[in-house]
Amino acid sequence: MIGKGFYQTLASPWLWGVLAVAACLPLVLNSYHLHLLTLALVYVALASAWNIVGGMAGQISLAHSLFIGTGAMLSTALLLKFGINMWAGLVIAAAISGALGAMIAWIDFRFQLGHLSFVLITLAFAEMGAIIVEGWEFLGGASGLLLPRDTGDLLAFQFGGGHGAFWVMLGLAAIIVLVNVAILNAPLGYYLRTIRDNEKAAQAIGVNVLRHKITAMTISAVLTSIVGTCYVRYLTFADPYLLATPTITIEIVLFATVGGLGRPFGPALGALLLVPLGEVLRGQLGGAVPGLHYFIYGVVVIVVILATPRGLLPLAERAWRGLRRRGPEPRPASVS
Amino acid sequence: MALLEVDNISKRFGGLLALNDVSFSVEKGEILGIIGPNGAGKTTLFSVISGFAPPSSGEVRFDGQRITGISPDRLTRRGLVRSFQLVQTFADMTTLEVVTTAALTRRPIREAIDYAAAVLTRVGLGGKLDETPATLSLQDKKLLEVAKCVATDPQCILLDEVMAGLTMAETEAPMQIIRELNQSGVTIVMVEHVMPVIMRMATRMVVINFGEKIGEGTPDEIIKDQRVIDAYFGEHLDA
Ligand SMILES: Nc1ncnc2c1ncn2[C@@H]1O[C@H](COP(=O)(O)OP(=O)(O)OP(=O)(O)O)[C@@H](O)[C@H]1O
Ligand SMILES: [Mg+2]
């Protein structure tokens, strides 16, 4: 059972208003802006899925490239090598990712090496995953895999490129954010937060630490894998260096941290702000000084963390409350 | 019938024998007081009973069943809960959220939230539901320790110095809460340095010194026991 907060969010006109307006954006945006927004939504989905284990449970996982990679590379390989429908591939990859996530959480618990152990163990698994993907021809090896053209055949997991991909990512991102809200208001959310804040005290009040860590990691891994499959369909090219190396996880952690860890809308906010910023910077500066956009990213992150250690969301919430108190009663479904 | 039985428990930390062959039992419904000088091994005893520290030898039984080796969270769900002498804080949760988590031990979420608010109100933290435990005063943190235990709906509570650092007047409220809890059927084991408090509350007492049990009996018997006077009160006079 889930607490009232979840149903209040579900019933909020703001949620549906924002989604409705967002769903209309493909009709007015040019294809470059639509691409930026689609990319931002991919990262909203990824950062929000990561938030379940990294934010709420406070377990900084660097393993998530493994789940993105499984979702992307494995489903693509199954289609290309065995002709397995990509919908089935999505489910198979998600199941494998979930099992991997559960196994990693269990191993971390069994061989506790101190405070850093989770970060190090998850990073080790991610690196192993990258080596396996790059070295195994079945998964595309170092050169990657190319998906067939997207003709918009829904049954073949094709969404017709630009508009379709945007809507898919919007829906997926919204679902994953709502999963965050649901978990936060469910017993699991309480367990995870006590584990994050004080593992020993959590145990003393009856919280089964291992079980809930495994649950969080499994849910996070399954959702991340599903995003991976949808993302590779959008990209058409399954690039192991983009999708299966820990760099992508670092980006996710960064977006989530800047937005606000552990809060259901925090990672989404971080991704929505930083992904377009990063892309624009890369477009403007990438040619001149490769990697400069990463540097600027870094500066932005440091400034934000110093200014508001809990991320941008608490700041935005305060501003929002101030606005609502001062301004006239907001009209539902009108979004500025 | 004995609810909790401690049988020949020893606990070694490297070369230090923190507990040496300690045995006693706690009857259902009683308030057992445990006293002893600083470093006697009282907190270690609680850690062993509650599953946080494995004993070097001996066993603990709860409700007739051996519980040695069972994890603390399972023991809490079975009805044996402890508080911490070193009050535990939570960096990014409210007191209501923390106590709600404790209440989830036996209640569905919506009921748990209401019950947690009621428990916090009962211990006197009703006005601080939305505060972070870290910002509470020491007295309030101690009350939160009690609230967390109570919210798990235990059969038996181990309270470790929840009144340390309080003035005599401030001890009245927690004493009243503990009495009410006991009257509602909860068995209580409490470690306390505040002698007037423990003398008035306890139905029976166990005295520990240097990891050994040196006395057991009603408060009246304990106060007259020469071994206890020498070991316990004697040390305080020396200091
Ligand atoms: N984890 C540990 N490792 C090593 N020694 C420990 C550990 N915990 C406790 N001790 C030692 O065991 C002895 C008993 O400590 P304990 O905390 O149980 O005493 P106590 O009776 O609760 O004292 P106080 O009245 O000060 O709370 C002390 O000498 C202490 O230093
Ligand atoms: Mg102690």
Side-chain angles (χ1 to χ4, degrees), chain A residues 1-2 7 190 193 196-198 200 203-208 310, chain B residues 52 73 76-77 81 84 88-93 97 101 105 109-110:
Chain A
M1 210 168 86
I2 302 175
Y7 299 99
Y190 286 84
R193 280 175 289 165
R196 174 196 63 198
D197 280 359
N198 193 332
K200 186 173 94 174
Q203 268 192 305
I205 52 177
V207 176
N208 186 332
R310 297 255 155 97
Chain B
F52 278 94
D73 52 297
T76 298
R77 294 197 293 278
V81 69
F84 290 96
Q88 302 292 305
T89 60
F90 300 81
D92 207 8
M93 294 178 81
E97 287 170 338
T101 312
T105 302
I109 180 73
R110 289 179 197 202

PDB file of all heavy atoms in Angstrom, chain A residues 1-2 7 190 193 196-198 200 203-208 310, chain B residues 52 73 76-77 81 84 88-93 97 101 105 109-110:
ATOM      1  N   MET A   1       0.832  -1.205   0.000  1.00  0.00           N
ATOM      2  CA  MET A   1       0.000   0.000   0.000  1.00  0.00           C
ATOM      3  C   MET A   1       0.871   1.261   0.000  1.00  0.00           C
ATOM      4  O   MET A   1       1.975   1.253   0.492  1.00  0.00           O
ATOM      5  CB  MET A   1      -0.925  -0.016   1.213  1.00  0.00           C
ATOM      6  CG  MET A   1      -2.205   0.695   0.934  1.00  0.00           C
ATOM      7  SD  MET A   1      -3.471   0.418   2.172  1.00  0.00           S
ATOM      8  CE  MET A   1      -3.090   1.650   3.378  1.00  0.00           C
ATOM      9  N   ILE A   2       0.343   2.312  -0.559  1.00  0.00           N
ATOM     10  CA  ILE A   2       1.119   3.543  -0.733  1.00  0.00           C
ATOM     11  C   ILE A   2       0.422   4.695  -0.010  1.00  0.00           C
ATOM     12  O   ILE A   2      -0.808   4.767   0.020  1.00  0.00           O
ATOM     13  CB  ILE A   2       1.262   3.868  -2.238  1.00  0.00           C
ATOM     14  CG1 ILE A   2       1.939   2.689  -2.949  1.00  0.00           C
ATOM     15  CG2 ILE A   2       2.059   5.138  -2.457  1.00  0.00           C
ATOM     16  CD1 ILE A   2       2.026   2.841  -4.433  1.00  0.00           C
ATOM     17  N   TYR A   7      -1.008   9.680  -4.272  1.00  0.00           N
ATOM     18  CA  TYR A   7      -2.277   9.944  -4.952  1.00  0.00           C
ATOM     19  C   TYR A   7      -2.493  11.438  -5.134  1.00  0.00           C
ATOM     20  O   TYR A   7      -3.084  11.872  -6.120  1.00  0.00           O
ATOM     21  CB  TYR A   7      -3.433   9.289  -4.177  1.00  0.00           C
ATOM     22  CG  TYR A   7      -3.250   7.802  -4.101  1.00  0.00           C
ATOM     23  CD1 TYR A   7      -2.720   7.201  -2.967  1.00  0.00           C
ATOM     24  CD2 TYR A   7      -3.541   6.992  -5.203  1.00  0.00           C
ATOM     25  CE1 TYR A   7      -2.505   5.834  -2.906  1.00  0.00           C
ATOM     26  CE2 TYR A   7      -3.327   5.630  -5.165  1.00  0.00           C
ATOM     27  CZ  TYR A   7      -2.806   5.054  -4.015  1.00  0.00           C
ATOM     28  OH  TYR A   7      -2.580   3.708  -3.973  1.00  0.00           O
ATOM     29  N   TYR A 190      10.537   4.724   3.054  1.00  0.00           N
ATOM     30  CA  TYR A 190      10.937   4.979   4.442  1.00  0.00           C
ATOM     31  C   TYR A 190      12.134   4.105   4.809  1.00  0.00           C
ATOM     32  O   TYR A 190      13.091   4.561   5.411  1.00  0.00           O
ATOM     33  CB  TYR A 190       9.768   4.699   5.395  1.00  0.00           C
ATOM     34  CG  TYR A 190       8.691   5.763   5.339  1.00  0.00           C
ATOM     35  CD1 TYR A 190       7.691   5.725   4.372  1.00  0.00           C
ATOM     36  CD2 TYR A 190       8.688   6.813   6.250  1.00  0.00           C
ATOM     37  CE1 TYR A 190       6.710   6.698   4.314  1.00  0.00           C
ATOM     38  CE2 TYR A 190       7.711   7.800   6.205  1.00  0.00           C
ATOM     39  CZ  TYR A 190       6.720   7.735   5.235  1.00  0.00           C
ATOM     40  OH  TYR A 190       5.758   8.711   5.178  1.00  0.00           O
ATOM     41  N   ARG A 193      15.353   5.420   3.114  1.00  0.00           N
ATOM     42  CA  ARG A 193      15.891   6.655   3.684  1.00  0.00           C
ATOM     43  C   ARG A 193      16.519   6.427   5.056  1.00  0.00           C
ATOM     44  O   ARG A 193      17.539   7.034   5.387  1.00  0.00           O
ATOM     45  CB  ARG A 193      14.809   7.733   3.743  1.00  0.00           C
ATOM     46  CG  ARG A 193      14.608   8.394   2.377  1.00  0.00           C
ATOM     47  CD  ARG A 193      13.463   9.366   2.384  1.00  0.00           C
ATOM     48  NE  ARG A 193      12.183   8.657   2.487  1.00  0.00           N
ATOM     49  CZ  ARG A 193      11.047   9.252   2.809  1.00  0.00           C
ATOM     50  NH1 ARG A 193      11.021  10.519   3.102  1.00  0.00           N
ATOM     51  NH2 ARG A 193       9.929   8.551   2.850  1.00  0.00           N
ATOM     52  N   ARG A 196      19.846   4.938   4.337  1.00  0.00           N
ATOM     53  CA  ARG A 196      20.777   5.963   3.867  1.00  0.00           C
ATOM     54  C   ARG A 196      21.316   6.791   5.034  1.00  0.00           C
ATOM     55  O   ARG A 196      22.503   7.036   5.140  1.00  0.00           O
ATOM     56  CB  ARG A 196      20.050   6.887   2.878  1.00  0.00           C
ATOM     57  CG  ARG A 196      20.879   8.091   2.423  1.00  0.00           C
ATOM     58  CD  ARG A 196      19.995   9.147   1.774  1.00  0.00           C
ATOM     59  NE  ARG A 196      19.034   9.681   2.746  1.00  0.00           N
ATOM     60  CZ  ARG A 196      17.935  10.333   2.422  1.00  0.00           C
ATOM     61  NH1 ARG A 196      17.623  10.516   1.156  1.00  0.00           N
ATOM     62  NH2 ARG A 196      17.110  10.787   3.348  1.00  0.00           N
ATOM     63  N   ASP A 197      20.422   7.186   5.929  1.00  0.00           N
ATOM     64  CA  ASP A 197      20.819   8.114   6.992  1.00  0.00           C
ATOM     65  C   ASP A 197      21.526   7.425   8.152  1.00  0.00           C
ATOM     66  O   ASP A 197      22.366   8.037   8.817  1.00  0.00           O
ATOM     67  CB  ASP A 197      19.590   8.865   7.518  1.00  0.00           C
ATOM     68  CG  ASP A 197      19.192  10.014   6.601  1.00  0.00           C
ATOM     69  OD1 ASP A 197      19.883  10.208   5.594  1.00  0.00           O
ATOM     70  OD2 ASP A 197      18.208  10.703   6.899  1.00  0.00           O
ATOM     71  N   ASN A 198      21.192   6.175   8.437  1.00  0.00           N
ATOM     72  CA  ASN A 198      21.764   5.523   9.615  1.00  0.00           C
ATOM     73  C   ASN A 198      21.432   4.026   9.602  1.00  0.00           C
ATOM     74  O   ASN A 198      20.401   3.601  10.113  1.00  0.00           O
ATOM     75  CB  ASN A 198      21.211   6.173  10.887  1.00  0.00           C
ATOM     76  CG  ASN A 198      21.976   5.765  12.109  1.00  0.00           C
ATOM     77  OD1 ASN A 198      22.546   4.680  12.169  1.00  0.00           O
ATOM     78  ND2 ASN A 198      21.988   6.625  13.109  1.00  0.00           N
ATOM     79  N   LYS A 200      22.647   1.383  11.128  1.00  0.00           N
ATOM     80  CA  LYS A 200      22.535   0.680  12.405  1.00  0.00           C
ATOM     81  C   LYS A 200      21.201   0.979  13.082  1.00  0.00           C
ATOM     82  O   LYS A 200      20.496   0.077  13.541  1.00  0.00           O
ATOM     83  CB  LYS A 200      23.709   1.096  13.310  1.00  0.00           C
ATOM     84  CG  LYS A 200      23.797   0.335  14.612  1.00  0.00           C
ATOM     85  CD  LYS A 200      25.081   0.687  15.360  1.00  0.00           C
ATOM     86  CE  LYS A 200      24.819   1.794  16.356  1.00  0.00           C
ATOM     87  NZ  LYS A 200      25.963   2.114  17.217  1.00  0.00           N
ATOM     88  N   GLN A 203      18.325  -0.759  11.370  1.00  0.00           N
ATOM     89  CA  GLN A 203      18.180  -2.149  11.807  1.00  0.00           C
ATOM     90  C   GLN A 203      17.463  -2.241  13.146  1.00  0.00           C
ATOM     91  O   GLN A 203      16.619  -3.100  13.355  1.00  0.00           O
ATOM     92  CB  GLN A 203      19.563  -2.777  11.978  1.00  0.00           C
ATOM     93  CG  GLN A 203      20.083  -3.468  10.757  1.00  0.00           C
ATOM     94  CD  GLN A 203      21.301  -4.292  11.127  1.00  0.00           C
ATOM     95  OE1 GLN A 203      22.260  -3.773  11.698  1.00  0.00           O
ATOM     96  NE2 GLN A 203      21.258  -5.569  10.833  1.00  0.00           N
ATOM     97  N   ALA A 204      17.828  -1.324  14.053  1.00  0.00           N
ATOM     98  CA  ALA A 204      17.255  -1.379  15.395  1.00  0.00           C
ATOM     99  C   ALA A 204      15.747  -1.163  15.373  1.00  0.00           C
ATOM    100  O   ALA A 204      15.039  -1.670  16.245  1.00  0.00           O
ATOM    101  CB  ALA A 204      17.923  -0.347  16.301  1.00  0.00           C
ATOM    102  N   ILE A 205      15.240  -0.421  14.382  1.00  0.00           N
ATOM    103  CA  ILE A 205      13.787  -0.243  14.333  1.00  0.00           C
ATOM    104  C   ILE A 205      13.138  -1.207  13.337  1.00  0.00           C
ATOM    105  O   ILE A 205      12.042  -0.967  12.853  1.00  0.00           O
ATOM    106  CB  ILE A 205      13.369   1.220  14.043  1.00  0.00           C
ATOM    107  CG1 ILE A 205      14.077   1.762  12.806  1.00  0.00           C
ATOM    108  CG2 ILE A 205      13.647   2.104  15.232  1.00  0.00           C
ATOM    109  CD1 ILE A 205      13.639   3.171  12.427  1.00  0.00           C
ATOM    110  N   GLY A 206      13.834  -2.288  13.044  1.00  0.00           N
ATOM    111  CA  GLY A 206      13.191  -3.379  12.320  1.00  0.00           C
ATOM    112  C   GLY A 206      13.400  -3.412  10.818  1.00  0.00           C
ATOM    113  O   GLY A 206      12.754  -4.190  10.120  1.00  0.00           O
ATOM    114  N   VAL A 207      14.294  -2.568  10.307  1.00  0.00           N
ATOM    115  CA  VAL A 207      14.477  -2.506   8.855  1.00  0.00           C
ATOM    116  C   VAL A 207      15.484  -3.565   8.383  1.00  0.00           C
ATOM    117  O   VAL A 207      16.621  -3.607   8.855  1.00  0.00           O
ATOM    118  CB  VAL A 207      14.960  -1.103   8.428  1.00  0.00           C
ATOM    119  CG1 VAL A 207      15.257  -1.064   6.941  1.00  0.00           C
ATOM    120  CG2 VAL A 207      13.931  -0.053   8.812  1.00  0.00           C
ATOM    121  N   ASN A 208      15.055  -4.399   7.463  1.00  0.00           N
ATOM    122  CA  ASN A 208      15.907  -5.436   6.890  1.00  0.00           C
ATOM    123  C   ASN A 208      16.778  -4.803   5.799  1.00  0.00           C
ATOM    124  O   ASN A 208      16.349  -4.627   4.661  1.00  0.00           O
ATOM    125  CB  ASN A 208      15.030  -6.544   6.308  1.00  0.00           C
ATOM    126  CG  ASN A 208      15.849  -7.732   5.828  1.00  0.00           C
ATOM    127  OD1 ASN A 208      17.004  -7.579   5.441  1.00  0.00           O
ATOM    128  ND2 ASN A 208      15.239  -8.897   5.847  1.00  0.00           N
ATOM    129  N   ARG A 310      22.036  20.541  -1.154  1.00  0.00           N
ATOM    130  CA  ARG A 310      20.989  19.532  -1.376  1.00  0.00           C
ATOM    131  C   ARG A 310      20.469  19.573  -2.801  1.00  0.00           C
ATOM    132  O   ARG A 310      19.484  18.917  -3.117  1.00  0.00           O
ATOM    133  CB  ARG A 310      19.828  19.753  -0.400  1.00  0.00           C
ATOM    134  CG  ARG A 310      20.234  19.594   1.053  1.00  0.00           C
ATOM    135  CD  ARG A 310      19.725  18.280   1.626  1.00  0.00           C
ATOM    136  NE  ARG A 310      20.538  17.825   2.746  1.00  0.00           N
ATOM    137  CZ  ARG A 310      20.246  18.029   4.024  1.00  0.00           C
ATOM    138  NH1 ARG A 310      19.148  18.654   4.345  1.00  0.00           N
ATOM    139  NH2 ARG A 310      21.043  17.578   4.974  1.00  0.00           N
TER     140      ARG A 310
ATOM    141  N   PHE B  52      23.240  -7.022  18.041  1.00  0.00           N
ATOM    142  CA  PHE B  52      24.230  -6.179  17.377  1.00  0.00           C
ATOM    143  C   PHE B  52      25.652  -6.708  17.548  1.00  0.00           C
ATOM    144  O   PHE B  52      26.504  -6.464  16.717  1.00  0.00           O
ATOM    145  CB  PHE B  52      24.139  -4.736  17.879  1.00  0.00           C
ATOM    146  CG  PHE B  52      23.065  -3.947  17.205  1.00  0.00           C
ATOM    147  CD1 PHE B  52      21.797  -3.851  17.761  1.00  0.00           C
ATOM    148  CD2 PHE B  52      23.299  -3.320  15.989  1.00  0.00           C
ATOM    149  CE1 PHE B  52      20.790  -3.134  17.128  1.00  0.00           C
ATOM    150  CE2 PHE B  52      22.303  -2.602  15.355  1.00  0.00           C
ATOM    151  CZ  PHE B  52      21.045  -2.507  15.919  1.00  0.00           C
ATOM    152  N   ASP B  73      17.277  -6.561  13.257  1.00  0.00           N
ATOM    153  CA  ASP B  73      15.986  -6.181  12.681  1.00  0.00           C
ATOM    154  C   ASP B  73      14.942  -7.278  12.857  1.00  0.00           C
ATOM    155  O   ASP B  73      13.771  -7.016  13.106  1.00  0.00           O
ATOM    156  CB  ASP B  73      16.126  -5.788  11.203  1.00  0.00           C
ATOM    157  CG  ASP B  73      16.845  -6.834  10.385  1.00  0.00           C
ATOM    158  OD1 ASP B  73      18.029  -7.091  10.670  1.00  0.00           O
ATOM    159  OD2 ASP B  73      16.229  -7.400   9.464  1.00  0.00           O
ATOM    160  N   THR B  76      13.714  -7.107  16.406  1.00  0.00           N
ATOM    161  CA  THR B  76      12.753  -6.015  16.567  1.00  0.00           C
ATOM    162  C   THR B  76      11.386  -6.451  16.061  1.00  0.00           C
ATOM    163  O   THR B  76      10.365  -6.198  16.696  1.00  0.00           O
ATOM    164  CB  THR B  76      13.241  -4.762  15.817  1.00  0.00           C
ATOM    165  OG1 THR B  76      14.478  -4.343  16.394  1.00  0.00           O
ATOM    166  CG2 THR B  76      12.233  -3.634  15.917  1.00  0.00           C
ATOM    167  N   ARG B  77      11.378  -7.136  14.916  1.00  0.00           N
ATOM    168  CA  ARG B  77      10.084  -7.580  14.393  1.00  0.00           C
ATOM    169  C   ARG B  77       9.460  -8.661  15.277  1.00  0.00           C
ATOM    170  O   ARG B  77       8.247  -8.844  15.294  1.00  0.00           O
ATOM    171  CB  ARG B  77      10.239  -8.072  12.941  1.00  0.00           C
ATOM    172  CG  ARG B  77      10.619  -6.942  11.978  1.00  0.00           C
ATOM    173  CD  ARG B  77      10.375  -7.294  10.528  1.00  0.00           C
ATOM    174  NE  ARG B  77      11.226  -8.342  10.033  1.00  0.00           N
ATOM    175  CZ  ARG B  77      12.480  -8.171   9.605  1.00  0.00           C
ATOM    176  NH1 ARG B  77      13.016  -6.969   9.603  1.00  0.00           N
ATOM    177  NH2 ARG B  77      13.197  -9.184   9.185  1.00  0.00           N
ATOM    178  N   VAL B  81      13.203  -4.824  21.287  1.00  0.00           N
ATOM    179  CA  VAL B  81      13.803  -3.634  20.671  1.00  0.00           C
ATOM    180  C   VAL B  81      14.703  -2.920  21.674  1.00  0.00           C
ATOM    181  O   VAL B  81      14.490  -3.013  22.876  1.00  0.00           O
ATOM    182  CB  VAL B  81      12.692  -2.689  20.142  1.00  0.00           C
ATOM    183  CG1 VAL B  81      11.914  -2.056  21.284  1.00  0.00           C
ATOM    184  CG2 VAL B  81      13.256  -1.606  19.234  1.00  0.00           C
ATOM    185  N   PHE B  84      19.449   3.407  21.982  1.00  0.00           N
ATOM    186  CA  PHE B  84      20.892   3.615  21.996  1.00  0.00           C
ATOM    187  C   PHE B  84      21.267   4.683  23.017  1.00  0.00           C
ATOM    188  O   PHE B  84      20.664   5.754  23.058  1.00  0.00           O
ATOM    189  CB  PHE B  84      21.389   4.042  20.616  1.00  0.00           C
ATOM    190  CG  PHE B  84      21.328   2.954  19.585  1.00  0.00           C
ATOM    191  CD1 PHE B  84      20.241   2.868  18.728  1.00  0.00           C
ATOM    192  CD2 PHE B  84      22.338   2.014  19.485  1.00  0.00           C
ATOM    193  CE1 PHE B  84      20.173   1.855  17.774  1.00  0.00           C
ATOM    194  CE2 PHE B  84      22.284   1.007  18.537  1.00  0.00           C
ATOM    195  CZ  PHE B  84      21.196   0.919  17.682  1.00  0.00           C
ATOM    196  N   GLN B  88      20.995   8.267  18.215  1.00  0.00           N
ATOM    197  CA  GLN B  88      21.214   8.115  16.780  1.00  0.00           C
ATOM    198  C   GLN B  88      20.512   9.239  16.026  1.00  0.00           C
ATOM    199  O   GLN B  88      19.386   9.584  16.338  1.00  0.00           O
ATOM    200  CB  GLN B  88      20.659   6.768  16.321  1.00  0.00           C
ATOM    201  CG  GLN B  88      21.273   5.594  17.046  1.00  0.00           C
ATOM    202  CD  GLN B  88      22.727   5.396  16.685  1.00  0.00           C
ATOM    203  OE1 GLN B  88      23.081   5.270  15.529  1.00  0.00           O
ATOM    204  NE2 GLN B  88      23.587   5.386  17.698  1.00  0.00           N
ATOM    205  N   THR B  89      21.201   9.794  15.044  1.00  0.00           N
ATOM    206  CA  THR B  89      20.553  10.858  14.286  1.00  0.00           C
ATOM    207  C   THR B  89      20.370  10.448  12.829  1.00  0.00           C
ATOM    208  O   THR B  89      20.952   9.477  12.356  1.00  0.00           O
ATOM    209  CB  THR B  89      21.359  12.169  14.341  1.00  0.00           C
ATOM    210  OG1 THR B  89      22.642  11.916  13.793  1.00  0.00           O
ATOM    211  CG2 THR B  89      21.480  12.662  15.756  1.00  0.00           C
ATOM    212  N   PHE B  90      19.519  11.193  12.156  1.00  0.00           N
ATOM    213  CA  PHE B  90      19.229  10.971  10.743  1.00  0.00           C
ATOM    214  C   PHE B  90      19.360  12.320  10.064  1.00  0.00           C
ATOM    215  O   PHE B  90      18.728  13.291  10.486  1.00  0.00           O
ATOM    216  CB  PHE B  90      17.814  10.423  10.584  1.00  0.00           C
ATOM    217  CG  PHE B  90      17.602   9.110  11.286  1.00  0.00           C
ATOM    218  CD1 PHE B  90      17.351   9.076  12.650  1.00  0.00           C
ATOM    219  CD2 PHE B  90      17.691   7.916  10.591  1.00  0.00           C
ATOM    220  CE1 PHE B  90      17.170   7.871  13.303  1.00  0.00           C
ATOM    221  CE2 PHE B  90      17.511   6.714  11.231  1.00  0.00           C
ATOM    222  CZ  PHE B  90      17.253   6.688  12.597  1.00  0.00           C
ATOM    223  N   ALA B  91      20.200  12.376   9.029  1.00  0.00           N
ATOM    224  CA  ALA B  91      20.566  13.677   8.478  1.00  0.00           C
ATOM    225  C   ALA B  91      19.436  14.319   7.676  1.00  0.00           C
ATOM    226  O   ALA B  91      19.250  15.522   7.717  1.00  0.00           O
ATOM    227  CB  ALA B  91      21.806  13.540   7.594  1.00  0.00           C
ATOM    228  N   ASP B  92      18.674  13.530   6.959  1.00  0.00           N
ATOM    229  CA  ASP B  92      17.756  14.123   5.992  1.00  0.00           C
ATOM    230  C   ASP B  92      16.339  13.563   6.112  1.00  0.00           C
ATOM    231  O   ASP B  92      15.651  13.361   5.127  1.00  0.00           O
ATOM    232  CB  ASP B  92      18.303  13.900   4.575  1.00  0.00           C
ATOM    233  CG  ASP B  92      17.834  14.988   3.612  1.00  0.00           C
ATOM    234  OD1 ASP B  92      17.230  15.966   4.077  1.00  0.00           O
ATOM    235  OD2 ASP B  92      18.064  14.845   2.407  1.00  0.00           O
ATOM    236  N   MET B  93      15.930  13.266   7.351  1.00  0.00           N
ATOM    237  CA  MET B  93      14.560  12.806   7.565  1.00  0.00           C
ATOM    238  C   MET B  93      13.967  13.625   8.708  1.00  0.00           C
ATOM    239  O   MET B  93      14.688  14.187   9.513  1.00  0.00           O
ATOM    240  CB  MET B  93      14.546  11.321   7.969  1.00  0.00           C
ATOM    241  CG  MET B  93      15.019  10.395   6.873  1.00  0.00           C
ATOM    242  SD  MET B  93      15.022   8.680   7.438  1.00  0.00           S
ATOM    243  CE  MET B  93      13.293   8.249   7.228  1.00  0.00           C
ATOM    244  N   GLU B  97       9.063  10.957  10.068  1.00  0.00           N
ATOM    245  CA  GLU B  97       9.433   9.911   9.109  1.00  0.00           C
ATOM    246  C   GLU B  97      10.202   8.779   9.784  1.00  0.00           C
ATOM    247  O   GLU B  97       9.988   7.596   9.490  1.00  0.00           O
ATOM    248  CB  GLU B  97      10.259  10.516   7.965  1.00  0.00           C
ATOM    249  CG  GLU B  97       9.422  11.350   7.001  1.00  0.00           C
ATOM    250  CD  GLU B  97      10.261  12.157   6.009  1.00  0.00           C
ATOM    251  OE1 GLU B  97      11.450  12.421   6.279  1.00  0.00           O
ATOM    252  OE2 GLU B  97       9.719  12.521   4.973  1.00  0.00           O
ATOM    253  N   THR B 101       8.850   4.898  10.195  1.00  0.00           N
ATOM    254  CA  THR B 101       9.575   3.697   9.771  1.00  0.00           C
ATOM    255  C   THR B 101       9.510   2.629  10.863  1.00  0.00           C
ATOM    256  O   THR B 101       9.271   1.455  10.585  1.00  0.00           O
ATOM    257  CB  THR B 101      11.051   4.033   9.462  1.00  0.00           C
ATOM    258  OG1 THR B 101      11.099   5.176   8.628  1.00  0.00           O
ATOM    259  CG2 THR B 101      11.723   2.864   8.763  1.00  0.00           C
ATOM    260  N   THR B 105       6.927  -1.542  11.290  1.00  0.00           N
ATOM    261  CA  THR B 105       7.224  -2.894  11.751  1.00  0.00           C
ATOM    262  C   THR B 105       5.954  -3.746  11.848  1.00  0.00           C
ATOM    263  O   THR B 105       5.976  -4.931  11.546  1.00  0.00           O
ATOM    264  CB  THR B 105       7.909  -2.834  13.138  1.00  0.00           C
ATOM    265  OG1 THR B 105       9.093  -2.052  13.018  1.00  0.00           O
ATOM    266  CG2 THR B 105       8.260  -4.209  13.636  1.00  0.00           C
ATOM    267  N   ILE B 109       1.112   1.495   5.960  1.00  0.00           N
ATOM    268  CA  ILE B 109       1.709   2.830   5.909  1.00  0.00           C
ATOM    269  C   ILE B 109       0.835   3.943   6.469  1.00  0.00           C
ATOM    270  O   ILE B 109       1.290   4.753   7.277  1.00  0.00           O
ATOM    271  CB  ILE B 109       2.202   3.167   4.470  1.00  0.00           C
ATOM    272  CG1 ILE B 109       2.816   4.558   4.398  1.00  0.00           C
ATOM    273  CG2 ILE B 109       1.122   3.032   3.440  1.00  0.00           C
ATOM    274  CD1 ILE B 109       4.160   4.666   5.031  1.00  0.00           C
ATOM    275  N   ARG B 110      -0.431   4.007   6.072  1.00  0.00           N
ATOM    276  CA  ARG B 110      -1.237   5.153   6.533  1.00  0.00           C
ATOM    277  C   ARG B 110      -1.440   5.117   8.032  1.00  0.00           C
ATOM    278  O   ARG B 110      -1.349   6.127   8.724  1.00  0.00           O
ATOM    279  CB  ARG B 110      -2.586   5.151   5.825  1.00  0.00           C
ATOM    280  CG  ARG B 110      -2.428   5.512   4.366  1.00  0.00           C
ATOM    281  CD  ARG B 110      -3.746   5.482   3.664  1.00  0.00           C
ATOM    282  NE  ARG B 110      -3.482   5.438   2.234  1.00  0.00           N
ATOM    283  CZ  ARG B 110      -4.363   5.828   1.323  1.00  0.00           C
ATOM    284  NH1 ARG B 110      -5.544   6.268   1.679  1.00  0.00           N
ATOM    285  NH2 ARG B 110      -4.052   5.764   0.052  1.00  0.00           N
TER     286      ARG B 110
END
